[in-house]
């Protein structure tokens, strides 16, 4: 009755969608099992994609051939490039999305893939025969056979929702928790833990006084996430708004502390340090008189508003009274209160760098089950798990991105080597090579790899290759072209820039902090005529490459040293306890993580440089 599948993906969130899309596009027959077909790709928390470092991840997913960038472009209501005042390594794209359109477009994209089938049910058990994974069993007793399974359960594994003193099972408001899987995995030898996250109240935009808040418009010239021609930048945008809490709000919130599940110890899970609840903020940062609140529309047409910065699990009456004291919220009507949710996760040190579990072959974990937080972190893990599940099933080499290849590589390397004691969130500071891993060059870095995999289309590859050739051509021209003082100095003086004392190469002139490529092209008719032939994105790329040339070269040299360490392979199943010269801590950590290379071993906390040297000497022997 039921066909056999190459891969079963459990969960229809961001990780599950990217996993199903990647594996199916590569040619695997995929079954996506989700508890509710109506909530595929649901934006459970804020209706936005991207942000600091997260925007880079979305661009990387797109460059490899994933769908998150395209879906975001098709459904965004506002675009902003964050950190423009800083260096280009910090620039991060962020989009406000239409929540309902986002979910609809993802479902349509998956339905358009003939290799994706769907089943609405809860997976309660993995089917393991003679130590080998052979499929899954659902809550109504149906068994589906598959060669590989990707678990992307989000916050649903034994999910428990808290609002004040009330608590009830659920993976999301109005949706039941998933039971059975955690218990089976623990029986199979996996270590599990509990984490918690939270969400703010949703309110009625018709009840807000928008004039009392600060308007936050999108960029004047909005960009987009996807490098493909499938999407276009926005022509109109919806504004977000900013307001602030105050001491009156804080005092009202404190009246609920005695019923707070967080402060009274009812929540045992580890919470996100970088996205704390409002009660956590006023408790930890008592000296602050106010906290910023971002008032974000949920879509083009809906009146529902997301109160970003007011995540809370306090009693609903306290939430309501405190919100009414926020400027602009005096007459607020709440659609639903904020809440905290606890759920099971599995420390990601139990995974290989392909996201396959070490205990069971062809079982993959992706998303919040690995202790991460955020749609973007989940989506990239789903894509990587989907690719590697496909490669396993079809006996192909594993697909791994290094720390110098992509933020995706940084994220997975951090997870499997260091684990996480709190919901993991990506930041630019986590990447040693962030000058190389910019949001503007993700296609140049990763589209050739995605094309070789079979995930990125030939059109994508050709477009990227043309862009690369144009960048090299313009860069060479600017490096070779000599600018004369008689041509350039009038332009520099007009822009209040110190004149040139003598002629110099255009690339040297461009390295001046106050000069950009638009000023440079005015410094001679030949420069203007030549530079005008290239697109804005190509000109921006050349400007970055030439301005930061020395920094880029330095990082490339550091990255090449990392590549050397990654070349030292450690035999599968190697027993580190036999190397008595290693420190006791190193032996313990290495045997637990089981790194596959010296490079990976060097990034495990507790493994010292001298331990790494001992390992290298042993392997060379």
């Amino acid at each position: 009755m039921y066909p056999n599948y190459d891969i079963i993906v459990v969960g229809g969130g961001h990780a599950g969608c990217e996993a199903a899309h990647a594996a199916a596009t590569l040619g695997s027959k995929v079954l996506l099992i989700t508890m509710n077909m109506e909530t595929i790709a649901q934006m459970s928390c804020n209706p936005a994609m991207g942000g600091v470092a997260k925007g880079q991840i979305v661009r990387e997913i797109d460059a490899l051939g994933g769908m998150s960038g395209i879906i975001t472009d098709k459904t965004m209501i506002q675009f902003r490039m964050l950190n423009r005042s800083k260096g280009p390594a910090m620039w991060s794209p962020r989009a406000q999305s239409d929540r309902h359109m986002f979910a609809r477009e993802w479902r349509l994209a998956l339905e358009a893939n003939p290799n994706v089938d769907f089943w609405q049910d809860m997976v309660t058990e993995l089917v393991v025969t003679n130590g080998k994974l052979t499929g899954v069993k659902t809550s109504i007793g149906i068994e589906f056979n598959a060669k590989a399974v990707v678990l992307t359960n989000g916050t649903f594994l034994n999910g428990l929702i808290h609002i004040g003193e009330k608590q009830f099972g659920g993976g999301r408001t109005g949706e039941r928790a998933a039971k059975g899987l955690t218990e089976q995995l623990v029986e199979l030898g996996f270590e599990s833990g509990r984490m918690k996250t939270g969400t703010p109240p949703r309110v009625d935009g018709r009840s807000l006084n928008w004039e009392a808040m600060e308007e936050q418009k999108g960029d004047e010239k909005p960009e987009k996430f996807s490098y493909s021609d499938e999407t276009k930048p926005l022509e109109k945008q919806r504004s977000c708004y900013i307001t602030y809490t105050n001491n009156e709000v804080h005092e009202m919130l404190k009246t609920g502390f005695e019923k707070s599940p967080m402060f009274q110890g009812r929540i045992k899970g580890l919470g996100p340090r970088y996205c704390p609840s409002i009660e956590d903020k006023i408790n930890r940062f008592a000296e602050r008189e106010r906290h910023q609140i971002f008032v974000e529309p949920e879509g083009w047409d809906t009146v529902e508003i997301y109160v970003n910065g007011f995540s809370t699990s306090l009693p609903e009456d306290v939430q309501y009274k405190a919100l009414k004291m926020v400027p602009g919220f005096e007459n607020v009507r709440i659609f639903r209160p904020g809440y905290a949710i606890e759920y099971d996760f599995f420390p990601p040190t139990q995974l290989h760098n392909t996201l396959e579990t070490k205990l069971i072959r062809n079982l993959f974990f992706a998303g919040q089950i690995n202790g991460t937080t955020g749609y973007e972190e989940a989506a990239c893990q789903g894509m990587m798990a989907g690719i590697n599940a496909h490669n396993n099933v079809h006996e192909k080499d594993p697909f791994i991105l290094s720390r110098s290849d992509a933020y995706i590589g940084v994220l997975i390397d951090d997870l499997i080597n260091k684990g996480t004691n709190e919901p993991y969130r990506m930041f630019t500071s986590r990447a040693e090579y962030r000058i190389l891993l910019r949001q503007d060059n993700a296609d140049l870095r990763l589209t050739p790899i995605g094309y070789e995999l079979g995930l990125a289309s030939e059109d994508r590859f050709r477009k990227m290759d043309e862009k690369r050739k144009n960048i090299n051509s313009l860069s060479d021209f600017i490096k070779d072209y000599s600018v004369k003082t008689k041509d350039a100095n009038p332009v520099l003086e007009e822009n209040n820039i110190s004149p040139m004392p003598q002629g110099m190469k255009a690339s040297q002139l461009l390295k001046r902090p106050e000069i950009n490529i638009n000023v440079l092209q005015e410094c001679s008719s030949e420069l203007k005529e030549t530079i005008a032939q290239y697109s804005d994105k190509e000109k921006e790329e050349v400007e970055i490459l030439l301005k930061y040339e020395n920094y880029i070269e330095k990082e490339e040299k550091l990255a090449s040293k990392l590549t050397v360490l990654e070349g030292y392979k450690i035999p599968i199943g190697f027993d580190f306890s036999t190397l008595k010269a290693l420190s006791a801590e190193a032996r313990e950590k290495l045997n637990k993580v089981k790194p596959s290379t010296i490079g990976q071993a060097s990034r495990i906390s507790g493994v010292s440089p001298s331990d790494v040297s001992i390992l290298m000497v042993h392997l060379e022997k």
Side-chain angles (χ1 to χ4, degrees):
M1 180 179 174
Y2 301 107
N4 293 333
Y5 289 92
D6 292 319
I7 297 161
I8 290 174
V9 176
V10 180
H14 297 257
C17 287
E18 285 289 3
H21 168 264
T25 302
L26 292 174
S28 283
K29 190 64 181 171
V30 177
L31 176 66
L32 176 64
I33 303 180
T34 177
M35 291 200 291
N36 187 351
M37 290 282 289
E38 301 305 313
T39 56
I40 286 173
Q42 174 89 320
M43 297 183 114
S44 309
C45 204
N46 63 322
M49 288 290 281
V52 176
K54 293 166 174 278
Q56 281 86 328
I57 289 176
V58 178
R59 285 254 164 104
E60 290 177 350
I61 292 169
D62 181 76
L64 284 164
M67 286 298 294
S68 288
I70 288 172
I71 302 293
T72 301
D73 287 350
K74 287 182 175 180
T75 61
M76 73 168 88
I77 63 175
Q78 187 196 83
F79 181 93
R80 292 175 65 222
M81 184 68 76
L82 307 182
N83 290 335
R84 271 286 191 187
S85 61
K86 299 179 180 177
M90 305 295 285
W91 298 351
S92 301
R94 183 184 189 273
Q96 203 68 30
S97 296
D98 185 306
R99 182 190 299 279
H100 300 292
M101 284 177 67
F102 188 94
R104 180 176 178 272
E105 286 293 336
W106 245 125
R107 179 166 170 171
L108 291 175
L110 290 171
E111 288 180 355
N113 193 317
N115 281 333
V116 178
D117 286 353
F118 302 86
W119 185 262
Q120 180 171 296
D121 204 348
M122 181 196 296
V123 170
T124 55
E125 187 182 334
L126 299 172
V127 180
V128 182
T129 310
N130 298 324
K132 184 181 177 185
L133 182 69
T134 58
V136 302
K137 193 176 284 186
T138 73
S139 64
I140 59 174
I142 296 175
E143 192 171 308
F144 291 99
N145 296 323
K147 298 169 186 173
V149 173
V150 183
L151 294 183
T152 70
N153 302 79
T155 60
F156 283 78
L157 291 176
N158 292 321
L160 185 63
I161 291 172
H162 297 264
I163 304 176
E165 294 179 304
K166 300 168 187 173
Q167 55 179 237
F168 45 93
R172 201 161 37 207
T173 183
E175 297 181 63
R176 59 185 175 151
K179 306 285 186 181
L181 268 180
T182 296
E183 293 75 13
Q184 183 195 13
L185 289 167
V186 170
E187 278 182 24
L188 289 167
F190 287 91
E191 177 193 347
S192 73
R194 293 286 275 176
M195 281 191 174
K196 83 112 184 166
T197 188
T199 194
R202 284 11 175 229
V203 304
D204 187 340
R206 296 169 300 182
S207 67
L208 302 183
N209 177 10
W210 299 100
E211 291 180 3
M213 296 181 258
E214 176 188 332
E215 186 176 9
Q216 187 181 48
K217 294 183 177 181
D219 287 353
E220 208 170 304
K221 291 184 178 179
E223 296 183 29
K224 61 194 189 83
F225 276 94
S226 181
Y227 295 97
S228 75
D229 292 326
E230 197 173 327
T231 61
K232 294 180 180 179
L234 285 173
E235 292 181 3
K236 63 172 185 172
Q237 303 185 67
R238 272 200 78 172
S239 292
C240 296
Y241 290 80
I242 296 171
T243 185
Y244 297 88
T245 63
N246 50 49
N247 283 326
E248 196 179 13
V249 175
H250 300 172
E251 290 305 313
M252 176 53 68
L253 289 167
K254 287 176 185 176
T255 66
F257 281 10
E258 63 182 24
K259 294 183 179 180
S260 164
M262 186 174 72
F263 294 136
Q264 297 307 315
R266 289 189 294 279
I267 293 179
K268 307 294 184 186
L270 306 159
R273 180 188 312 191
Y274 302 106
C275 189
S277 64
I278 188 66
E279 56 263 39
D280 197 18
K281 285 182 197 173
I282 62 174
N283 186 51
R284 281 166 52 190
F285 309 108
E287 74 284 356
R288 293 196 185 173
E289 293 183 359
R290 66 178 194 171
H291 293 281
Q292 202 167 41
I293 302 292
F294 294 94
V295 187
E296 302 175 344
E298 296 261 346
W300 283 114
D301 304 316
T302 181
V303 298
E304 189 173 355
I305 299 296
Y306 182 88
V307 191
N308 195 343
F310 208 88
S311 174
T312 181
S313 58
L314 291 172
E316 64 271 23
D317 62 322
V318 176
Q319 294 184 34
Y320 177 60
K321 290 172 186 174
L323 266 181
K324 286 178 74 71
M325 297 172 178
V326 174
F329 281 68
E330 293 83 1
N331 299 307
V332 68
R333 291 191 298 272
I334 295 180
F335 282 169
R336 62 180 167 96
Y339 60 87
I341 181 166
E342 283 187 282
Y343 55 94
D344 294 335
F345 84 105
F346 291 83
T349 50
Q350 300 172 99
L351 303 175
H352 294 296
N353 48 7
T354 57
L355 298 181
E356 183 182 25
T357 67
K358 293 173 181 175
L359 280 175
I360 300 178
R361 180 156 170 77
N362 287 329
L363 175 62
F364 294 78
F365 291 173
Q368 283 176 290
I369 192 172
N370 290 336
T372 60
T373 181
Y375 309 141
E376 304 82 2
E377 290 89 343
C380 73
Q381 289 175 72
M383 180 184 65
M384 296 297 285
I387 293 168
N388 279 305
H390 167 85
N391 285 0
N392 271 19
V393 166
H394 296 278
E395 298 181 350
K396 295 185 176 182
D397 291 338
F399 176 57
I400 297 158
L401 292 170
S402 75
R403 298 183 74 89
S404 58
D405 288 329
Y407 272 90
I408 297 170
V410 173
L411 182 145
I412 293 173
D413 191 74
D414 277 354
L415 291 175
I416 65 167
N417 290 319
K418 300 172 184 175
T420 182
N421 294 321
E422 60 192 31
Y424 179 101
R425 180 180 179 178
M426 180 52 73
F427 292 102
T428 49
S429 58
R430 295 192 192 272
E432 308 92 315
Y433 310 108
R434 55 185 173 272
I435 298 176
L436 302 181
L437 308 182
R438 305 182 310 277
Q439 54 81 32
D440 58 272
N441 70 354
D443 57 337
L444 301 172
R445 287 185 279 121
L446 299 174
T447 296
I449 300 171
Y451 176 63
E452 194 175 324
L453 277 171
L455 196 56
S457 67
E458 188 172 349
D459 283 347
R460 284 286 197 103
F461 179 77
R462 284 179 179 167
K463 188 179 179 191
M464 178 282 308
D465 198 43
E466 183 183 350
K467 178 181 171 183
R468 186 193 300 280
K469 287 173 182 173
N470 287 344
I471 287 165
N472 290 339
S473 170
L474 179 56
S475 182
D476 289 343
F477 170 77
I478 292 175
K479 283 181 177 179
D480 291 339
Y481 188 83
S482 296
V483 183
K484 296 171 183 172
T485 53
K486 68 180 180 65
D487 295 329
N489 282 346
V491 176
L492 299 179
E493 287 165 7
E494 188 181 328
N495 286 277
N496 296 315
I497 299 169
S498 302
M500 292 164 40
Q502 58 191 39
M504 62 174 67
K505 294 292 185 184
S507 57
Q508 289 302 115
L509 184 58
L510 186 58
K511 280 186 167 67
R512 287 192 182 185
E514 67 273 25
I515 291 180
N516 59 37
I517 201 160
N518 293 323
V519 173
L520 180 72
Q521 72 179 13
E522 300 299 325
C523 290
S524 87
S525 57
E526 192 176 351
L527 273 172
K528 187 169 187 175
E529 187 181 331
T530 303
I531 293 174
Q533 297 172 28
Y534 296 88
S535 72
D536 288 344
K537 298 308 291 181
E538 288 163 352
K539 289 191 281 189
E540 179 183 84
E541 190 73 27
V542 168
E543 181 177 335
I544 292 168
L545 289 172
L546 294 179
K547 266 188 180 296
Y548 297 90
E549 188 174 30
N550 295 336
Y551 297 99
I552 291 169
E553 285 177 3
K554 186 177 178 182
E555 278 202 358
E556 284 173 342
K557 286 176 183 175
L558 288 171
S560 67
K561 289 180 182 177
L562 172 70
T563 306
V564 171
L565 288 178
E566 297 298 340
Y568 281 87
K569 302 293 182 186
I570 298 173
I572 294 170
F574 182 79
D575 185 3
F576 295 95
S577 60
T578 60
L579 293 182
K580 302 302 179 187
L582 293 173
S583 68
E585 184 181 7
R587 290 198 299 272
E588 180 189 338
K589 294 283 180 66
L590 290 165
N591 271 328
K592 183 178 181 181
V593 176
K594 296 181 174 60
S596 56
T597 69
I598 291 289
Q600 189 183 341
S602 70
R603 295 188 292 279
I604 298 170
S605 57
V607 177
S608 69
S610 63
D611 292 321
V612 172
S613 298
I614 290 164
L615 269 176
M616 288 178 71
V617 168
H618 177 82
L619 289 175
E620 283 173 348
K621 284 180 181 178

